[in-house]
Amino acid sequence: MLVLGIETSCDETSAAIVEDGGKILSNIVSSQIEIHKKFWGVVPEIASRKHIEMIIPVIQESLNKAKISLEDVDGIAVTFGPGLLGSLLVGLTVAKGIAYARRLPFIGINHLEAHLYACFIEHPHLIPPFIGLIISGGHTELIYISKERKYELLGSTRDDAVGEAFDKVARILGLEYPGGPAIEKIAKEGNPYSISLPLSHFKDKKTLDFSFSGIKTAVLYYVENLRKKGNTIPVEDLAASFQLTISEILIKRVIQAINLRGVNKVVIAGGVSSNQFLRSFFEKKKPKGIEIFFPPQGLCTDNAAMVGICGYYKFKEGKTSPLSLDANPSLKIG
Ligand code: KG4
Ligand code: ZN
């Protein structure tokens, strides 16, 4: 079965052709990073306009690269939430149009679920129950996926998402946007144990929620203090210490969730999961007997292949969506 996946929830216009949920024939991602860079974040109006410009060429390129035509496609899967409304509408409307014109099965995909499905390409036999951790620019969700493939939200961020914290700290440190890759790169030159940054603390000791505003503010005060004194900023050490503290905050919650639900598998996905330091930190610090799964590097940040993979599994279960499906910017998981 050939599924055309379409993703336009934020600032990446992407289309992919996925064969039987396990082979990516093409995965075209047109990123708007260069456009949003100067604003240090995604400007919704600009994002949707750029999606309109790019969506058809990107779909065409995905077909060309896969060496197929629209007649060969067996189903269309498209992100319908969460994300920016104007951006979501572009992909969703085009997907509906093609599905209607070609009389093709059509399914709306939850972007968060798609991030988790990116792991199935290398691990098709990854069977629930497992804990899922989605860490991206817009989300920090800790989920329990039961045997029945039901999603239960165990915790989420009360302020910034992890990726957002990376982006904001990078700005404080005078690095580039997006902050995640910039921090990861410069942190290689620094000592992660040189500067002590605060872990998040909640009154409720059982909570599985996250908070990243404290660590971001701590970095800000640290930098401002040094600047006032005319001292140089140890950017490398700060980046490395920030990355380590974030990894510590995340693993603490994952271990709590593992113990709570008694599972031995964890899937970590989303843009931040491409961070190599975080990956090796989890591998080193995970409790005995726990297996951790990450998506392949190229499928961590937003892409349409993960949407196509997720769509394939839904189609296989006989699921489809009506063409009346609306975009849902605040769609939840669990
Ligand atoms: O999953 P994604 O592409 O978009 C959302 O769904 O939000 O994630 C983008 C986020 C950005 O905040 C970016 O800074 C972060 O993922 N990111 C990283 C890395 N690569 C991307 N964070 C840490 N380390 C990385 N290597
Ligand atoms: Zn995403």
Side-chain angles (χ1 to χ4, degrees), residues 26-48:
S26 63
N27 185 24
I28 309 300
V29 182
S30 166
S31 172
Q32 303 176 5
I33 283 179
E34 286 308 315
I35 302 165
H36 300 288
K37 223 173 199 165
K38 56 176 174 291
F39 305 105
W40 274 92
V42 179
V43 183
E45 180 57 32
I46 298 177
S48 48

Side-chain angles (χ1 to χ4, degrees), residues 21 35 40 57 75 91 109 111 147 182 221 270 279 283 330:
I35 302 165
W40 274 92
I109 299 293
H111 179 81
K147 259 190 233 150
Y221 287 167
R279 285 180 179 224
E283 282 304 335
S330 48

